[in-house]
Amino acid sequence: MDFPGIVLDTSVFSQQKKPDHETVYDMLILGGGPAAMSAVVYAARKMLSLAVVTLDFGGLMRETTEIENYLGFQSINANDLVVKFEDHVKSFDIPVSLGVAVKEVRRQGRIFTVLMEDGTLFSGKTVVFCLGERHRPLSAPGEKELAGKGVSYCATCDAPLFKGKRVLIAGGGNSAFTTAFDLVRVNAEIVLVNFVEGWQADETLQQRVRSYDKIQFLDFHEVAGIEGEGKVEEAVLRNRKTGEEKRMLFDGVFVEIGLLPNSDPVKNLVELNKKGEVVIDCSCRTNVPGFFSAGDVTMVPHKQIIISAGEGAKAALTAYDYLIETNQL
Amino acid sequence: MSLIQEKERKQLVEILKSMTNDVTIATFTQEFECNYCRMTRELLEELTGLSDKLKLRVYDFAKESDAAKKYNIDKIPATVLLGDRDYGIRFYGVPAGYEFTTLVEDIIAVSSRDPGLPEDIAAELSKVDRPVHIQVMISPT
């Protein structure tokens, strides 16, 4: 075997500055995904005083393995791309609050205050809100109790744990079929269950998965319950046409039924659409002056890394224009 | 050809400047080196050449069985990190790929002689009065 090379994640070693609670920053960038990181690059180059507030860097990008549609990279490991983004962000030596979630964003006059889950507060003249999305739960009985005990939301993370095991996948779109493909590769026995009739995944992906003989397809079915003592043991599947229920034995349940926007911290501040996404115009402005938003948390269609990165850049530039127009710089 | 490329070499020189105390890396190989033992030794030779605070000791697993016994090494390639004492840190196999960042993190930690634990947790852990085997399984994603 040839030497596999080394991965040196320099972000682990950087002594990051922390945001100051007393300072009113020109811009607070909330989030750590591609939209937020791109906003940082554009804002930092405008020499604004800014701080980043995020739980982590990368967000949902870290749950993917290979990325094959980011311009300039025919194929790149998702973690490696996050490290590249993060290195770029950290080259500007800006303060970063890591590891604590945002609880609520409020406005007092022209100033925005960001209340953190641990009670700390940060202030800014503008906010670029890029908190992204999280996995939508099934809301089936037993799901919450067995999360992490067989119920998983990340095939990239957990598929290898189900080698040769019986697995239920809830969902019928691309993420469900990609999960199926990940589990095919570890020789799992799969039942794919879709709430609606038919399947929404891309045809090419469906064909690839359908060529495997250890998958059973049940559309127009719902997961009525997940059961087990300390770990997933069985699930109740209900036929939505006939109402008939059947119990099947499983070792794991993968939930791949879409994502929910992380817009709770601003639900009392800005306009959201029916899906809970932040409503923005084509310049990333919300209905609240000085509050901008970008990336997957917004109503912009096609949740893609490259789109988020572009939106983040746009939001930062629009926020910069706002600061000039309102004589706040 | 170098195993550590120029870009990473420069980054490592900067990172290793944060070392506050010396760290000795002991690696166990043998006279008839397997491919992995050779890679490990060569990687560690290059790494320890990047800081005056890093020393390398190369042991022959077969011939220096006393050292292997002392550090409780039962397979090779093995890498042991030593500071003012043996903190029990071992790497088995080539510490390449993502493990390389962990290796460097551990070197910095051993150099500081401080595990970085909050006082209350350190106080709790000091009550552990017998060996405990903890096995953690992780994935890089």
Side-chain angles (χ1 to χ4, degrees), chain A residues 50-79:
Chain A
L50 72 150
V52 179
V53 177
T54 182
L55 259 182
D56 61 7
F57 282 112
L60 289 182
M61 268 178 82
R62 289 205 187 264
E63 294 187 8
T64 307
T65 44
E66 289 296 306
I67 290 168
E68 297 177 341
N69 51 11
Y70 195 83
L71 191 65
F73 299 96
Q74 285 182 349
S75 177
I76 182 166
N77 176 278
N79 208 41

Side-chain angles (χ1 to χ4, degrees), chain A residues 1 5 7-9 12 77 80, chain B residues 15 35 39 96-98 101 104-105:
Chain A
M1 189 190 91
V7 175
L8 185 61
D9 183 353
V12 171
N77 176 278
D80 292 346
Chain B
I15 290 166
N35 206 12
M39 282 180 202
Y98 289 102
T101 297
V104 178
E105 269 187 286

Side-chain angles (χ1 to χ4, degrees), chain A residues 1-10 12-13 62-65 77 79-80 84 87 154 156-157, chain B residues 3-5 8 11-12 15 35-36 39 43 94-98 100-101 104-105 108 139-141:
Chain A
M1 189 190 91
D2 291 335
F3 182 66
I6 58 167
V7 175
L8 185 61
D9 183 353
T10 52
V12 171
F13 305 101
R62 289 205 187 264
E63 294 187 8
T64 307
T65 44
N77 176 278
N79 208 41
D80 292 346
K84 281 180 187 293
D87 281 349
C154 176
T156 309
C157 317
Chain B
L3 300 182
I4 304 174
Q5 301 306 306
E8 281 81 18
Q11 289 171 329
L12 281 164
I15 290 166
N35 206 12
Y36 300 110
M39 282 180 202
L43 180 64
V94 191
Y98 289 102
F100 187 77
T101 297
V104 178
E105 269 187 286
I108 302 293
S139 95
T141 53

Side-chain angles (χ1 to χ4, degrees), chain B residues 13-105:
Chain B
V13 168
E14 285 306 308
I15 290 166
L16 295 173
K17 279 181 185 168
S18 65
M19 288 178 69
T20 45
N21 294 288
D22 287 359
V23 173
T24 298
I25 302 179
T27 185
F28 286 79
T29 176
Q30 61 187 4
E31 191 173 354
F32 298 105
E33 274 187 323
C34 73
N35 206 12
Y36 300 110
C37 288
R38 181 183 52 75
M39 282 180 202
T40 303
R41 179 181 51 75
E42 288 178 359
L43 180 64
L44 295 176
E45 281 171 354
E46 287 185 29
L47 178 63
T48 50
L50 300 178
S51 169
D52 292 341
K53 288 194 164 64
L54 272 176
K55 313 277 181 261
L56 179 66
R57 270 190 235 150
V58 180
Y59 289 102
D60 187 309
F61 179 61
K63 290 180 181 167
E64 296 174 272
S65 57
D66 285 353
K69 199 173 170 187
K70 179 182 171 187
Y71 295 117
N72 206 18
I73 302 298
D74 59 358
K75 49 191 164 285
I76 55 171
T79 302
V80 181
L81 299 190
L82 300 164
D84 54 339
R85 61 191 173 89
D86 180 3
Y87 291 89
I89 298 170
R90 308 283 184 271
F91 286 79
Y92 294 103
V94 191
Y98 289 102
E99 273 63 59
F100 187 77
T101 297
T102 311
L103 172 69
V104 178
E105 269 187 286

Side-chain angles (χ1 to χ4, degrees), chain A residues 7-56:
Chain A
V7 175
L8 185 61
D9 183 353
T10 52
S11 66
V12 171
F13 305 101
S14 56
Q15 297 293 317
Q16 201 73 50
K17 282 194 294 188
K18 300 287 173 207
D20 174 26
H21 310 301
E22 308 290 321
T23 305
V24 178
Y25 290 96
D26 291 334
M27 192 183 295
L28 288 176
I29 296 173
L30 310 188
M37 290 196 272
S38 179
V40 170
V41 171
Y42 276 77
R45 288 169 58 83
K46 295 290 186 189
M47 304 293 280
L48 299 178
S49 76
L50 72 150
V52 179
V53 177
T54 182
L55 259 182
D56 61 7

